[in-house]
Amino acid sequence: MGVRRAAKGVGDFLIEMVGEAVAEVILSLLACALLGCLALIASWSFSPRFTIAGAGLLSFFLAHGAWQTFRTPTKGRRRGLATLTAVGFTVAAMTALFLLLYATGSDFL
């Protein structure tokens, strides 16, 4: 009985460790994306037109994703750009929610 319990404990530990490693990688990638967006905003002194165009395209991308996510589904599957924008919006919304909960020190996490 003791060997099974120990093996289960080691298995649970390994699963938790791999899950945390994957979460760290995902958060690191999201942090790099955020840094890229901040660099886009900070490039105002270099090129105001590029900054406004980039912010407008990012806003359009997220708005289209929100529209695709929350509208009533049509017959058939979403394809191409619609799927990409819906996934982009969902990832951005979940990241914002996670950062909000993490920043406020919520016990929900």
Side-chain angles (χ1 to χ4, degrees):
M1 263 322 189
V3 175
R4 286 184 186 171
R5 192 178 321 171
K8 185 177 189 270
V10 170
D12 290 342
F13 171 75
L14 288 175
I15 288 173
E16 184 177 339
M17 185 177 71
V18 169
E20 287 182 12
V22 169
E24 287 292 327
V25 167
I26 291 171
L27 285 177
S28 297
L29 290 174
L30 290 173
C32 288
L34 178 63
L35 183 62
C37 290
L38 291 175
L40 178 69
I41 293 169
S43 68
W44 179 265
S45 61
F46 178 70
S47 174
R49 291 180 186 156
F50 179 71
T51 302
I52 291 173
L57 285 174
L58 182 64
S59 298
F60 178 73
F61 178 80
L62 292 175
H64 187 265
W67 178 69
Q68 286 292 327
T69 300
F70 294 118
R71 74 181 184 132
T72 54
T74 59
K75 294 181 181 178
R77 296 183 350 204
R78 293 184 204 153
R79 298 189 198 277
L81 182 65
T83 302
L84 181 68
T85 58
V87 169
F89 170 74
T90 304
V91 168
M94 295 308 293
T95 303
L97 179 65
F98 175 78
L99 292 175
L100 177 68
L101 291 174
Y102 184 75
T104 58
S106 175
D107 289 335
F108 183 71
L109 299 175

